[in-house]
Amino acid sequence: MDIAVVGAGSLGSLLGGLLAREHDVTLVGRDPHMRRVAAEGLRVAGVEQFRVTPAARTDVPDSADLAVVAVKSHDTAAVADQLAGCELGACLSVQNGMGNEATLAAALDCPVLAGTCTYGARLDEPGTVAFTGRGEVVLGPPAGGRSETAERVGAAFGGAGVETTVAADMPRRLWAKLAVNAAINAATALARVENGALADGPGAALAADAARETARVAREQGVDLADERAVELTRQVVRDTAANRSSMLQDVEAGRATEIDAINGYVVAAADEPVPVNETLTRLVRTRERAD
Ligand code: PAF
């Protein structure tokens, strides 16, 4: 399969590297990383070590069987515009936050799939991605159910050795992931702590409150996600990623825009009833962003 990975940061580079063992992959990202990959290939280090030679560029190619979108959620609209001029068979979002698939689907003629990804990656230096944790890609139609496209993309990922599940319940899975991100990302970014600091004490209580509020909003939207399921998933991710610095913490530390609008801000905007914890986290992160 001819696959363009748009957003070759840490996770995009790792997925692209794994897929390049089996498929024709083009990484689309920023220099100097893309320049180094084009010249010397991509080195994957850590859980597995190997070198692959995907194509690498800074703009989207003219065509691909599949575009895997891994950019930050605030760049989705711009990427959707670029991909609209590209001949695509299908598109898969593996991004954080909600609303990305709708933005892509509004601009593209091809089927758009939703995905979640729990693989861990870190971009150490141009040309090298650290594979920090084996996870799973779960993908399927964003509105739920099954599709031939989802099966085909799932088989292509599985064939490249990426742990993949093709799921018929993506709305529930996307809301569950949103609950985890709403619980962990803003709290760790504001308190400047690793995910493991939310394992007990006041951090755990704050994370659980944010997860419960998100589960309630999911149910308001007709998605079956129990409060305690959202809290348990959050606890599990905190345990599994205890040493991680969340993506939002990394954004805040680097003075970059965060994904707050697609995470806690999305919960606030979608809620029928007040969600004070998500609202406070959103306001605090937006205040931090304005100060940078
Ligand atoms: O955004 C992140 O950092 C990750 O999605 C997660 C699961 C919170 C782990 O750090």
Side-chain angles (χ1 to χ4, degrees), residues 18-19 21-23 48 119 134 155-164:
L18 294 169
L19 291 167
R21 298 185 298 188
E22 182 66 24
H23 301 286
E48 282 182 50
Y119 274 82
R134 193 183 299 285
F157 273 52
V162 178
E163 289 294 328
T164 309

Side-chain angles (χ1 to χ4, degrees), residues 96 117 177 180-181 184-185 195 237 241 244-248 250 259 263:
N96 270 344
C117 178
K177 175 152 196 279
V180 169
N181 286 130
I184 296 177
N185 291 33
N195 295 353
V237 172
T241 65
N244 276 25
R245 301 173 83 68
S246 75
S247 53
M248 197 173 287
Q250 292 180 42
E259 296 186 293
I263 302 179

Side-chain angles (χ1 to χ4, degrees), residues 167-188:
D169 61 346
M170 283 315 291
R172 198 177 58 84
R173 289 175 186 264
L174 290 173
W175 275 97
K177 175 152 196 279
L178 185 69
V180 169
N181 286 130
I184 296 177
N185 291 33
T188 51

